[in-house]
């Protein structure tokens, strides 16, 4: 019998700076009701789905920054979301800014959680690839201060056996890195849930601006196909506080094909009944990892962060014992 999971990808239009949590939660709840009416079981909301995308501003007062963070989940202002989803019997995932006391200090993460149909948090992910910069750069039209306000996630890329399948999460910039999907692919992930806030304009490389939607689709389709997994990519998009952000919400099969996609740049639900067994034929043939991967030749991937010279790469490979013919011995 097919293992099917009906997904609602709940794209959000812009969230204004002065929009309150209760106002945003009402928008999320409206999408939950649509999802229920359309037979969904799991609804995926975007990255930082409770507030505007605040890293676009340089703010000196940490108290003002912290107003964008959640100290508990659910908290007094988000409890209604959890209660409504549970009443409708829907699971959901959602991204938010998380403030937590951990290891004796205050820590801040860009977080996504997975909530089961009873309202229990059954999975958590903290964004690992934080883009942008950590100092004010006034030459930009807008800032991208994730590296200033947030810490690198410390939970790794975990998978969760829930909703009848094996699910994983990542957030926005993570989707551009093949390692993100591969680490979950090596755990047999069957569906990756991810939300994003991607400005159309890329200040350090404006020549990429016209390619935003192409790159968005390219990386998610590649991640899906190369790891035999569904990928559900969900945008917060449209013109948010003067910054246009790409839409392109889509549900991608393990074949790498986009099977459902958003048509607007506003609040919009798209749905698809996903057969979680669709990845099997890929996992047992072209991407049978145990049979075909050659990890002894991939040691550079974890041995270096940035690029190195080819000669150093050769020495490193030899030292790490990959069984290569020593330099000059070809
Ligand atoms: N929120 C993000 O991580 N945005 C980045 C932008 C800054 C490039 C992204 O990768 O889409």
């Amino acid at each position: 019998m097919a293992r099917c999971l009906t997904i609602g990808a709940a794209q959000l239009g812009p969230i204004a700076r002065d929009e309150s949590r209760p106002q945003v939660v009402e928008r999320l709840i409206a999408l939950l009701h649509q999802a229920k009416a359309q037979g969904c079981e799991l609804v995926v909301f975007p990255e930082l789905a409770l507030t505007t995308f605040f890293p676009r501003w340089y703010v000196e007062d940490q108290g003002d920054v912290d107003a964008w963070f959640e100290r508990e989940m659910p908290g007094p202002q988000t409890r209604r979301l959890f209660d409504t989803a549970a009443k409708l019997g829907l699971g959901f995932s959602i991204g938010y800014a998380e403030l937590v006391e951990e290891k004796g200090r205050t820590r801040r993460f860009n977080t996504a959680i997975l909530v089961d149909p009873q309202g229990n948090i059954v999975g958590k992910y903290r964004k690992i690839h934080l883009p942008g910069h950590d100092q004010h750069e006034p030459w930009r039209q807008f800032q991208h201060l994730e590296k200033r306000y947030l810490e690198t996630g410390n939970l790794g890329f975990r998978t969760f056996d829930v909703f009848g399948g094996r699910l994983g999460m990542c957030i926005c910039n993570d989707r551009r890195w093949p390692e993100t999907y591969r680490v979950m692919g090596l755990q047999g992930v069957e569906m990756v849930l991810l939300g994003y806030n991607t400005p159309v304009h890329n200040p350090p490389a404006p020549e990429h601006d016209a390619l935003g939607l192409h790159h968005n689709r390219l990386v998610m389709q590649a991640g899906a196909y190369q790891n035999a997994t569904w990928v559900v990519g969900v945008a917060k998009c449209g013109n948010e506080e003067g910054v246009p952000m790409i839409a392109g919400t889509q549900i991608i099969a393990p074949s790498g094909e986009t099977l459902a996609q958003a048509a607007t740049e506003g609040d919009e639900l798209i749905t698809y009944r996903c057969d979680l067994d669709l990845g099997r034929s890929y996992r047992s043939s072209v991407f049978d990892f145990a049979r075909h991967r050659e990890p002894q030749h991939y040691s550079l991937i974890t041995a270096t962060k940035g690029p190195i010279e080819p000669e150093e790469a050769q020495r490193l490979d030899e030292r790490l014992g990959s069984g290569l013919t020593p330099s000059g011995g070809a």
Side-chain angles (χ1 to χ4, degrees), residues 248-266:
T249 293
Q250 55 199 283
I251 300 175
I252 303 163
S255 60
E257 297 164 290
T258 294
L259 299 184
Q261 62 186 347
T264 72
E265 292 190 347

mmCIF file of all heavy atoms in Angstrom, residues 248-266:
data_model
loop_
_atom_site.group_PDB
_atom_site.id
_atom_site.type_symbol
_atom_site.label_atom_id
_atom_site.label_comp_id
_atom_site.label_asym_id
_atom_site.label_seq_id
_atom_site.Cartn_x
_atom_site.Cartn_y
_atom_site.Cartn_z
ATOM 1 N N GLY A 248 8.045 31.472 -5.642
ATOM 2 C CA GLY A 248 8.616 30.198 -6.111
ATOM 3 C C GLY A 248 8.397 29.029 -5.180
ATOM 4 O O GLY A 248 9.115 28.024 -5.255
ATOM 5 N N THR A 249 7.389 29.131 -4.307
ATOM 6 C CA THR A 249 7.042 27.991 -3.438
ATOM 7 C C THR A 249 6.718 26.777 -4.310
ATOM 8 O O THR A 249 5.973 26.892 -5.284
ATOM 9 C CB THR A 249 5.818 28.368 -2.581
ATOM 10 O OG1 THR A 249 6.222 29.396 -1.672
ATOM 11 C CG2 THR A 249 5.263 27.167 -1.815
ATOM 12 N N GLN A 250 7.276 25.623 -3.956
ATOM 13 C CA GLN A 250 7.033 24.442 -4.791
ATOM 14 C C GLN A 250 7.226 23.140 -4.031
ATOM 15 O O GLN A 250 7.930 23.093 -3.019
ATOM 16 C CB GLN A 250 7.908 24.453 -6.041
ATOM 17 C CG GLN A 250 9.395 24.579 -5.807
ATOM 18 C CD GLN A 250 10.105 25.036 -7.079
ATOM 19 O OE1 GLN A 250 10.308 24.257 -7.990
ATOM 20 N NE2 GLN A 250 10.487 26.310 -7.113
ATOM 21 N N ILE A 251 6.586 22.112 -4.577
ATOM 22 C CA ILE A 251 6.714 20.755 -4.017
ATOM 23 C C ILE A 251 7.381 19.901 -5.095
ATOM 24 O O ILE A 251 6.885 19.794 -6.218
ATOM 25 C CB ILE A 251 5.326 20.195 -3.627
ATOM 26 C CG1 ILE A 251 4.674 21.105 -2.571
ATOM 27 C CG2 ILE A 251 5.458 18.761 -3.099
ATOM 28 C CD1 ILE A 251 3.238 20.720 -2.192
ATOM 29 N N ILE A 252 8.531 19.332 -4.737
ATOM 30 C CA ILE A 252 9.396 18.649 -5.704
ATOM 31 C C ILE A 252 9.485 17.165 -5.354
ATOM 32 O O ILE A 252 9.730 16.798 -4.203
ATOM 33 C CB ILE A 252 10.811 19.281 -5.696
ATOM 34 C CG1 ILE A 252 10.715 20.781 -6.001
ATOM 35 C CG2 ILE A 252 11.738 18.582 -6.683
ATOM 36 C CD1 ILE A 252 11.947 21.565 -5.630
ATOM 37 N N ALA A 253 9.318 16.319 -6.348
ATOM 38 C CA ALA A 253 9.358 14.869 -6.153
ATOM 39 C C ALA A 253 10.798 14.362 -6.180
ATOM 40 O O ALA A 253 11.707 15.054 -6.649
ATOM 41 C CB ALA A 253 8.550 14.189 -7.258
ATOM 42 N N PRO A 254 11.025 13.125 -5.734
ATOM 43 C CA PRO A 254 12.374 12.552 -5.793
ATOM 44 C C PRO A 254 12.929 12.437 -7.220
ATOM 45 O O PRO A 254 14.129 12.272 -7.406
ATOM 46 C CB PRO A 254 12.203 11.155 -5.176
ATOM 47 C CG PRO A 254 10.992 11.269 -4.307
ATOM 48 C CD PRO A 254 10.086 12.239 -4.996
ATOM 49 N N SER A 255 12.070 12.558 -8.199
ATOM 50 C CA SER A 255 12.533 12.588 -9.597
ATOM 51 C C SER A 255 13.210 13.914 -9.918
ATOM 52 O O SER A 255 13.825 14.058 -10.982
ATOM 53 C CB SER A 255 11.330 12.427 -10.532
ATOM 54 O OG SER A 255 10.412 13.493 -10.294
ATOM 55 N N GLY A 256 13.062 14.893 -9.041
ATOM 56 C CA GLY A 256 13.571 16.238 -9.305
ATOM 57 C C GLY A 256 12.544 17.112 -10.003
ATOM 58 O O GLY A 256 12.817 18.279 -10.279
ATOM 59 N N GLU A 257 11.353 16.571 -10.250
ATOM 60 C CA GLU A 257 10.320 17.362 -10.929
ATOM 61 C C GLU A 257 9.486 18.156 -9.922
ATOM 62 O O GLU A 257 9.081 17.615 -8.887
ATOM 63 C CB GLU A 257 9.363 16.448 -11.697
ATOM 64 C CG GLU A 257 10.011 15.668 -12.812
ATOM 65 C CD GLU A 257 9.108 14.516 -13.237
ATOM 66 O OE1 GLU A 257 8.959 13.552 -12.460
ATOM 67 O OE2 GLU A 257 8.556 14.603 -14.348
ATOM 68 N N THR A 258 9.199 19.408 -10.278
ATOM 69 C CA THR A 258 8.276 20.212 -9.485
ATOM 70 C C THR A 258 6.858 19.817 -9.849
ATOM 71 O O THR A 258 6.454 19.921 -11.010
ATOM 72 C CB THR A 258 8.522 21.709 -9.770
ATOM 73 O OG1 THR A 258 9.821 22.045 -9.277
ATOM 74 C CG2 THR A 258 7.480 22.575 -9.086
ATOM 75 N N LEU A 259 6.088 19.349 -8.855
ATOM 76 C CA LEU A 259 4.744 18.837 -9.139
ATOM 77 C C LEU A 259 3.641 19.797 -8.723
ATOM 78 O O LEU A 259 2.486 19.612 -9.107
ATOM 79 C CB LEU A 259 4.549 17.475 -8.463
ATOM 80 C CG LEU A 259 5.520 16.386 -8.943
ATOM 81 C CD1 LEU A 259 5.192 15.046 -8.301
ATOM 82 C CD2 LEU A 259 5.510 16.248 -10.464
ATOM 83 N N ALA A 260 3.995 20.803 -7.928
ATOM 84 C CA ALA A 260 3.017 21.845 -7.586
ATOM 85 C C ALA A 260 3.800 23.115 -7.320
ATOM 86 O O ALA A 260 4.892 23.062 -6.742
ATOM 87 C CB ALA A 260 2.220 21.454 -6.340
ATOM 88 N N GLN A 261 3.262 24.245 -7.751
ATOM 89 C CA GLN A 261 3.977 25.496 -7.487
ATOM 90 C C GLN A 261 3.011 26.654 -7.323
ATOM 91 O O GLN A 261 1.918 26.644 -7.901
ATOM 92 C CB GLN A 261 5.001 25.802 -8.570
ATOM 93 C CG GLN A 261 4.436 25.994 -9.942
ATOM 94 C CD GLN A 261 5.537 26.158 -10.996
ATOM 95 O OE1 GLN A 261 6.706 26.361 -10.686
ATOM 96 N NE2 GLN A 261 5.136 26.066 -12.247
ATOM 97 N N ALA A 262 3.452 27.651 -6.555
ATOM 98 C CA ALA A 262 2.603 28.817 -6.283
ATOM 99 C C ALA A 262 2.532 29.706 -7.516
ATOM 100 O O ALA A 262 3.457 29.755 -8.328
ATOM 101 C CB ALA A 262 3.168 29.593 -5.099
ATOM 102 N N ALA A 263 1.406 30.424 -7.608
ATOM 103 C CA ALA A 263 1.203 31.308 -8.760
ATOM 104 C C ALA A 263 1.284 32.783 -8.370
ATOM 105 O O ALA A 263 1.324 33.642 -9.232
ATOM 106 C CB ALA A 263 -0.157 31.027 -9.380
ATOM 107 N N THR A 264 1.313 33.053 -7.066
ATOM 108 C CA THR A 264 1.237 34.454 -6.620
ATOM 109 C C THR A 264 2.467 34.827 -5.788
ATOM 110 O O THR A 264 3.365 33.997 -5.578
ATOM 111 C CB THR A 264 -0.001 34.662 -5.726
ATOM 112 O OG1 THR A 264 0.249 34.011 -4.461
ATOM 113 C CG2 THR A 264 -1.253 34.083 -6.365
ATOM 114 N N GLU A 265 2.461 36.066 -5.311
ATOM 115 C CA GLU A 265 3.495 36.508 -4.367
ATOM 116 C C GLU A 265 2.843 36.893 -3.038
ATOM 117 O O GLU A 265 3.293 37.804 -2.333
ATOM 118 C CB GLU A 265 4.270 37.696 -4.943
ATOM 119 C CG GLU A 265 5.112 37.302 -6.142
ATOM 120 C CD GLU A 265 6.070 38.390 -6.576
ATOM 121 O OE1 GLU A 265 5.928 39.542 -6.127
ATOM 122 O OE2 GLU A 265 6.965 38.070 -7.378
ATOM 123 N N GLY A 266 1.767 36.200 -2.703
ATOM 124 C CA GLY A 266 1.070 36.497 -1.447
ATOM 125 C C GLY A 266 0.788 35.235 -0.665
ATOM 126 O O GLY A 266 1.325 34.163 -0.975
#
